[in-house]
Amino acid sequence: MTGTTVTGKHYIGRFAPSPTGPLHFGSLLAAVASYLRAREQSGEWLVRIEDVDPPREQPGAGDAIVTALGAYGFEWDGEIIWQSVSKPQHDDAVETLLKEEMAYPCRCSRRDLADAPRSPLGIIYPGTCRNGCDAEETAIRVRTSDDAVSFDDLLQGTQSQRLESESGDFIIRRRDGLIAYHLAVVVDDHLQGITEIVRGIDLMDSTPRQIWLQQLLGFPTPGYMHIPVATHPDGQKLSKLTGAAAIPLRGKRRVLVAALDALMLHPPEDLAAYSLSDIWAWAINNWQIEPLVLRTAVPVAANSMAKLENPVS
Ligand code: GLU
């Protein structure tokens, strides 16, 4: 089953970080790519802080992300949205799915599922509570089917999953009442009229579950572009220093140029000598997706890595 893709509409893109830590180099790439794509399409670029999972959040991280985006010269459209404000709409979507019997309460604990089969997506829910369960506090799962859910990623080509075999019915509201990421992201992208999602490839295997929810809720499916992950020149994952650490607020121009380089835009040697707004103007003029097609990883050049690790003002 393929969703109705939004076409011919005014472009609205977004960057939707979770405040689980500061803006790091990997998330900067998603921010830069989604921003340049929106500007190239003469569209809007929205920022949404996905603060719906307090146990995983780091105090102050949301504000720190917003400060870093501003300092790096991103210009977002409209107000920044904090996802927790749409909790009533998230709950409404869960209620709709329950009413339509497309979702059901589940009392299974992690321990109950310890022996369940697994796939690269995690536990494959064996359907224990599909036909009813009696418990006071339950999670809510959405029913899945084994029809293929497919989409054409703008960079990574056609992707397809059979959800019933690959993930089984998945959680949309946790036992503690918190809304699961897949449901929150789908409802908010719809509320904000997002027409295309540009984000890291680590989220690509979540997309069929999100398209499934869009279909059940009657929402159009946006376009998708999953950008490669940045690695060390030797292909290793970025270290804690460069991979998870906050991007520095000193030496921003060099870091931004390193991001443009990682996105394979081939910035000129001396670009970092220019102002942030000149760098952005260059990036908007030179943005292209072709070099990223079918790439799942992009090495960050050794000299860019050095700049990232030793920022100078
Ligand atoms: N909030 C998610 C994260 O930071 C990303 C959501 C998305 O881009 O769809 O991993």
Side-chain angles (χ1 to χ4, degrees), residues 150-285:
S150 309
F151 67 101
D152 290 323
D153 190 84
L154 283 148
L155 291 179
Q156 311 296 340
T158 302
Q159 311 293 319
S160 185
Q161 281 173 3
R162 293 184 187 277
L163 294 176
E164 194 171 355
S165 349
E166 293 183 56
S167 73
D169 300 345
F170 57 93
I171 289 184
I172 52 174
R173 188 165 67 205
R174 295 179 351 201
R175 189 194 293 256
D176 57 12
L178 292 177
I179 296 292
Y181 156 64
H182 296 305
L183 186 98
V185 84
V186 159
V187 169
D188 286 321
D189 284 333
H190 178 63
L191 287 173
Q192 294 187 281
I194 303 300
T195 60
E196 189 178 281
I197 292 174
V198 178
R199 60 185 178 188
I201 199 165
D202 54 313
L203 291 167
M204 191 159 74
D205 66 9
S206 298
T207 307
R209 278 170 285 178
Q210 295 171 11
I211 292 176
W212 179 244
L213 289 174
Q214 289 156 2
Q215 291 173 346
L216 294 180
L217 291 164
F219 300 163
T221 290
Y224 286 97
M225 183 189 296
H226 287 93
I227 64 161
V229 66
T231 63
H232 273 283
D234 62 3
Q236 294 287 319
K237 272 177 91 167
L238 294 188
S239 65
K240 187 90 181 152
L241 190 60
T242 40
I247 47 164
L249 294 183
R250 280 166 59 96
K252 295 186 288 287
R253 292 171 297 155
R254 286 164 184 269
V255 174
L256 183 56
V257 172
L260 302 177
D261 190 45
L263 290 168
M264 305 191 72
L265 299 181
H266 308 297
E269 283 280 293
D270 63 346
L271 189 59
Y274 289 79
S275 67
L276 268 180
S277 59
D278 285 344
I279 297 173
W280 279 119
W282 182 90
I284 290 167
N285 275 328

Side-chain angles (χ1 to χ4, degrees), residues 29 61 141 153 233 298:
L29 289 191
R141 285 183 189 269
D153 190 84
V298 277

Side-chain angles (χ1 to χ4, degrees), residues 51-63:
D51 59 337
V52 287
D53 192 356
R56 286 187 56 233
E57 286 162 20
Q58 209 182 73
D63 288 331

